[in-house]
Amino acid sequence: MQHIFPKYLLFVIPLLLIQPSNPVALKYAMFSGWPPYLLGALRMSMISLCFMMWVVLGKQSLLGDAKVRNWILPAAFAKALGIYCFFTALSMISASRVIMLASCAPILNLLLVQLFLKQEKVRYYHVIGLFISLCGVLLLLTFRSEDLALENIDIEAGDLILLLGLLATGFMTICEKHAVTHGATPQQLVALINLFSVPLFITLTLFAEPAQQNFPTSFESWLVFGYLFLIGTILFYYRRWLLVRVPVTFLNSLTYLERAIGIAYAMIFLGETISFVSLTGFILILAGSAFAIQRDLRHKSIKLPASLSQS
């Protein structure tokens, strides 16, 4: 074990250093002139292309049977709505706040699966984890200063939009589970969902003002986009390379560390500040999620849905 653990560390260090930079780089790209929805559409198209190449190179069938396809469109719409809410929220609130609130996505997805799928049961550790995470979310949503007085309660629209996006992602997870039970492979599932979610996302962006969808002209803005495109593509294949060499439970436990590193990046590169109350809420969210999900993985030996393993 002493020889294996350092090897795991060497494998995951690039992921830990680069993966958390994504939301920070997206926020920086918006600062440099990229319209949020245009940036989102291009990024989703890039990810969809990566998934298609993944399926083609694996020589697998893209289309499943009718029962599988019945769950693809609802899942794709849920993904498109989730990404739309994410980019809307990222344009309205700070990157660090988005990272902190989005940290409750894994436990939210898991609990929705437990509640709406008959073969799953809600366990006591799900309830405990949800309660701890909910306390953290309430701290983040309601108090922005160190003073916890009632008159300091302040909930922004961006916070609620992001939570709506997390619920949409949870619904996508339920659709994924149904498709898996009907014989869909992970490659088919994620490729089809990403393929159909792109035009659905673009349809949603038509609600935005057309004038906001112009391409930026500065060199800096295209440099940031190039970073997002290159790093996003590399990380996509690198993470799947890791999945066959590093235990899934170990990779998912690193998700919590990635959130903390992402917040550090936001403070360093975007100059964002975090109050003690917000930091406490973030820690509670991570603690609740870690408690519920790790207990679930250890005691039930379940396989995470595709959306959770990619988070």
Side-chain angles (χ1 to χ4, degrees), residues 255-286:
T255 301
Y256 311 113
L257 184 57
E258 289 178 8
R259 313 287 191 197
I261 295 175
I263 292 175
Y265 284 165
M267 297 175 68
I268 295 172
F269 296 106
L270 300 178
E272 298 180 358
T273 58
I274 302 173
S275 67
F276 177 76
V277 174
S278 297
L279 183 60
T280 302
F282 173 60
I283 293 174
L284 287 174
I285 293 174
L286 290 187

Side-chain angles (χ1 to χ4, degrees), residues 167-225:
L167 288 174
T169 303
F171 177 74
M172 181 187 72
T173 303
I174 295 173
C175 295
E176 289 176 342
K177 291 283 286 185
H178 277 292
V180 168
T181 58
H182 288 101
T185 65
Q187 290 86 348
Q188 284 178 333
L189 193 61
V190 293
L192 286 172
I193 290 175
N194 280 274
L195 177 65
F196 287 107
S197 64
V198 173
L200 290 171
F201 175 82
I202 294 174
T203 302
L204 287 174
T205 61
L206 295 178
F207 290 102
E209 296 181 13
Q212 295 180 348
Q213 307 305 309
N214 296 325
F215 284 94
T217 56
S218 67
F219 174 76
E220 181 185 21
S221 60
W222 283 99
L223 186 63
V224 176
F225 178 77

Side-chain angles (χ1 to χ4, degrees), residues 78-114:
K79 181 180 179 66
L81 179 59
I83 299 297
Y84 180 85
C85 291
F86 170 79
F87 277 92
T88 302
L90 190 61
S91 66
M92 299 174 67
I93 58 179
S94 65
S96 58
R97 193 167 182 80
V98 168
I99 294 171
M100 288 189 288
L101 282 174
S103 298
C104 67
I107 188 174
L108 181 61
N109 289 356
L110 186 60
L111 282 167
L112 287 174
V113 168
Q114 304 290 332

Side-chain angles (χ1 to χ4, degrees), residues 145-158:
S145 64
E146 308 296 343
D147 188 359
L148 299 183
L150 293 179
E151 58 268 19
N152 290 328
I153 292 179
D154 182 20
I155 301 177
E156 288 192 8

Side-chain angles (χ1 to χ4, degrees), residues 1-18 235 238-239 241-242 245-247 250-251 254 257:
M1 180 62 67
Q2 292 179 349
H3 296 289
I4 296 176
F5 190 71
K7 184 185 294 186
Y8 284 172
L9 282 180
L10 290 176
F11 285 156
V12 302
I13 283 175
L15 190 69
L16 279 176
L17 293 178
I18 302 175
L235 285 180
Y238 184 68
R239 194 174 184 91
W241 181 82
L242 283 178
R245 290 165 176 82
V246 179
F250 183 76
L251 276 181
L254 295 177
L257 184 57

Side-chain angles (χ1 to χ4, degrees), residues 15 26 32 35 59 105 131 169 257 295 299 307 309:
L15 190 69
L26 287 170
S32 64
K59 297 180 180 180
F131 177 76
T169 303
L257 184 57
R295 286 291 295 259
H299 289 95
S307 60
S309 64

